[in-house]
Amino acid sequence: MDRPFIYLDNAATSFPKPEAVLKAVDHALRVVGGSPGRSGHRLAINADKIIFEARENICRLLGIADSSRLIFTSGATESLNLAIKGILESGDHVVISSMEHSSVTRPLHSLSQKAVEVTKVKCDKKGLLAPDDITKAIKKNTRLIVLTHASNVTGTIQPVCEVGKIARERGITFLVDACQTAGVFPIDLESIPVDMLAASGHKGLLGPQGTGILYIRPGINLSPLKEGGTGRGPSDDKQPEALPDRFEAGTMNTPGIAGLGAAAAFLLEQTVEAVRQKEMLLYKQLLEGLIAIEGVTTYGSSDPGKKVSLLSFNIEGLDPSLVSFRLDEEFDILSRSGLHCAPDAHKTVGTFPEGAVRLSPGFYNIPGDIDKTIAAIHRIAKER
Amino acid sequence: MPVKDSRESLKTMEGTFLVFETTHLTMKAESTLKEADIPVRLFPKPRKIISECGLIMKVLDSDLGTAKSLLKEKGIEIKAELQL
Ligand SMILES: Cc1ncc(COP(=O)(O)O)c(C=O)c1O
């Protein structure tokens, strides 16, 4: 479908979505209609099936053996809040990197007022973490390590397996924020030492906004963030122990989850490897184009093998928000400027407080979009 | 026709029922058995049975042994078996 703009903000939310996702949302609202986990009539049972199948599809995509351990949330922000607040208690210590999103740093900031101690491990200028620095930051009371799989500012992929091993050897719980990798970079939770994994459903997973997931490995016990009706269960006041119900109180976002399930089916069919290959070709084209422009600085790892398809840059002497505005206004190119909800990451790469312009090609972009974008940035840089 | 008769009998809320802890497990059991061509049907749970899941699954007596061993093989725990 021809669109009057070029969408390069897939790191915020992917657009467009696969046709199957739109159909699944429509079907859930138009035909299914019932409330999952509630009544016993056919429409409620059909809603149960939608939720079940979505859960199974995502588990297949991420290599999760026990699908009851995958929780649906309203987004990665809720997933990260649940994981962080569900495990930490007063007196605990937590280690995070300097590339974390506000959905990690803000819950931790509020916990730090309740005697939870936080250590932020600094990454290098390209946003890369040295696993040894994590080891050095660990204390006797370290309960949790949180690491973004790939930063939403630099797109640099972090050494999660190495950090996971460090955590596991010491019995520390390891939480990974996979917002920028789920769906676009292969993840097999059966084989990597990750205890909890949070992701948005609406970015690389190609589902609707208002969806997210949290995987909780067996043996990890969390207290729920919210308590309430899980539907048809016993009529006592105690929140159930069994997963997923324990963490899914309240009427679920059935249309959103239906869409997310369809998106996961789409990705299983396309394969994440093929998605990555496609996106990284666009990324490399963009990178090569931008580094050749005088006055342009790009951020993040220079090794495409250590990157997801997202590139932040600045043009010397120009305010990134102005560049982003001109791209939209004059060239119909949609980017994101500013601090990207990750001020620490910008401090790490040296772009605080002005931020940077971020371009994130996705599954539905084509090489022509990148050519036009490079030409536009060239124009803006030349006219300085 | 015994097969037809037995499928017909799935419609009544009498016979052998399996109970699972959560809706998720009930769905998983249903899809596992259906994939193995074992006919089942879900019913609302009678009040007296305590479980997080509000549904129970009817299985034909002739399929019960196969169904139970298949569920065991898949690690799907049956919380209770009941006769109504
Ligand atoms: C790295 C990272 N973590 C967390 C989030 C928060 O996700 P959501 O907006 O789905 O809650 C985002 C995106 O906004 C992100 O890029």
Side-chain angles (χ1 to χ4, degrees):
Chain A
M1 186 190 184
D2 249 4
R3 292 176 205 278
F5 54 80
I6 294 171
Y7 186 81
L8 287 177
D9 196 16
N10 290 282
T13 200
S14 51
F15 182 82
K17 309 293 182 189
E19 193 56 33
V21 173
L22 310 192
K23 285 205 177 117
V25 175
D26 184 273
H27 179 79
L29 285 169
R30 197 185 298 277
V31 183
V32 178
S35 176
R38 301 299 189 267
S39 327
H41 57 70
R42 69 191 82 176
L43 292 190
I45 293 175
N46 287 348
D48 285 332
K49 280 185 190 148
I50 286 184
I51 304 277
F52 170 73
E53 276 161 22
R55 223 186 284 277
E56 293 272 303
N57 285 349
I58 290 170
C59 288
R60 234 170 275 142
L61 195 68
L62 298 175
I64 298 168
D66 178 357
S67 54
S68 74
R69 313 289 307 186
L70 185 92
I71 310 303
F72 285 119
T73 64
S74 62
T77 300
E78 186 188 333
S79 307
L80 290 162
N81 270 268
L82 168 56
I84 289 168
K85 293 176 178 164
I87 200 160
L88 291 173
E89 291 167 9
S90 300
D92 285 341
H93 174 239
V94 52
V95 178
I96 67 171
S97 86
S98 67
M99 300 307 288
E100 302 310 308
H101 191 268
S102 306
S103 48
V104 171
T105 57
R106 287 187 171 170
L108 285 175
H109 177 77
S110 82
L111 286 179
S112 72
Q113 328 241 288
K114 295 178 192 155
V116 168
E117 195 194 343
V118 185
T119 302
K120 288 182 185 172
V121 171
K122 201 150 188 251
C123 299
D124 70 15
K125 280 224 132 200
K126 299 206 181 278
L128 190 68
L129 177 91
D132 275 355
D133 292 342
I134 293 280
T135 310
K136 285 179 205 148
I138 289 172
K139 300 184 185 190
K140 251 201 184 131
N141 59 337
T142 305
R143 181 79 181 272
L144 178 70
I145 298 171
V146 191
L147 184 61
T148 182
H149 194 181
S151 155
N152 65 318
V153 172
T154 57
T156 303
I157 295 171
Q158 301 289 19
V160 285
C161 288
E162 286 88 329
V163 174
K165 264 187 229 146
I166 293 167
R168 194 152 284 182
E169 279 162 10
R170 290 158 180 82
I172 299 166
T173 303
F174 182 39
L175 164 64
V176 169
D177 173 357
C179 275
Q180 296 300 338
T181 50
V184 298
F185 185 84
I187 295 175
D188 180 25
L189 284 160
E190 268 303 282
S191 65
I192 58 174
V194 169
D195 296 313
M196 293 193 276
L197 184 121
S200 311
H202 60 95
K203 299 182 194 264
L205 287 175
L206 302 178
Q209 292 174 19
T211 61
I213 54 162
L214 178 68
Y215 166 69
I216 308 168
R217 192 173 288 287
I220 304 290
N221 295 313
L222 298 181
S223 41
L225 207 54
K226 53 187 188 187
E227 286 150 320
T230 49
R232 315 167 176 123
S235 53
D236 62 11
D237 278 345
K238 212 170 146 286
Q239 186 70 11
E241 295 289 331
L243 271 64
D245 301 29
R246 181 166 178 74
F247 302 108
E248 291 182 348
T251 302
M252 297 186 75
N253 175 8
T254 312
I257 294 168
L260 180 55
F266 175 84
L267 287 169
L268 284 164
E269 197 185 294
Q270 298 287 328
T271 79
V272 172
E273 288 76 9
V275 170
R276 174 155 174 82
Q277 212 167 24
K278 182 173 176 188
E279 288 193 359
M280 290 317 284
L281 278 178
L282 298 169
Y283 167 79
K284 282 184 224 167
Q285 182 191 351
L286 181 65
L287 177 69
E288 280 160 22
L290 290 203
I291 54 178
I293 301 172
E294 209 185 301
V296 168
T297 307
T298 60
Y299 307 101
S301 175
S302 40
D303 173 5
K306 288 203 177 104
K307 287 269 315 192
V308 290
S309 173
L310 154 187
L311 185 62
S312 291
F313 73 96
N314 271 319
I315 303 175
E316 201 186 334
L318 293 185
D319 180 340
S321 56
L322 181 77
V323 175
S324 186
F325 175 74
R326 285 193 60 190
L327 283 172
D328 182 358
E329 201 59 21
E330 296 169 32
F331 302 94
D332 304 313
I333 293 165
L334 312 186
S335 63
R336 178 167 175 198
S337 66
L339 293 174
H340 312 96
C341 304
D344 287 345
H346 281 281
K347 284 176 190 161
T348 306
V349 302
T351 46
F352 187 83
E354 63 283 358
V357 185
R358 182 181 72 188
L359 299 167
S360 43
F363 184 78
Y364 288 103
N365 286 114
I366 51 171
D369 295 344
I370 307 299
D371 285 336
K372 288 179 189 152
T373 304
I374 295 166
I377 294 167
H378 195 97
R379 270 268 298 278
I380 297 173
K382 225 169 113 186
E383 285 169 13
R384 270 179 305 155
Chain B
M1 294 290 285
V3 172
K4 185 170 181 298
D5 283 350
S6 53
R7 294 219 180 214
E8 271 310 296
S9 82
L10 273 178
K11 289 185 179 166
T12 66
M13 216 172 148
E14 275 166 22
T16 306
F17 294 80
L18 301 179
V19 187
F20 303 89
E21 181 64 31
T22 58
T23 304
H24 174 74
L25 272 189
T26 308
M27 291 295 129
K28 196 163 178 107
E30 189 201 25
S31 93
T32 303
L33 296 182
K34 280 191 167 165
E35 247 168 59
D37 281 328
I38 299 173
V40 296
R41 172 147 186 216
L42 301 176
F43 289 88
K45 180 188 67 171
R47 248 182 70 80
K48 60 179 181 187
I49 301 149
I50 303 216
S51 152
E52 250 323 296
C53 181
L55 301 171
I56 53 176
M57 192 172 77
K58 180 167 178 180
V59 185
L60 300 175
D61 285 334
S62 52
D63 289 330
L64 191 61
T66 331
K68 278 162 74 174
S69 60
L70 189 57
L71 292 173
K72 192 169 177 195
E73 195 184 299
K74 299 275 178 185
I76 301 167
E77 193 185 330
I78 299 165
K79 188 181 159 96
E81 187 180 322
L82 58 129
Q83 294 296 326
L84 292 178

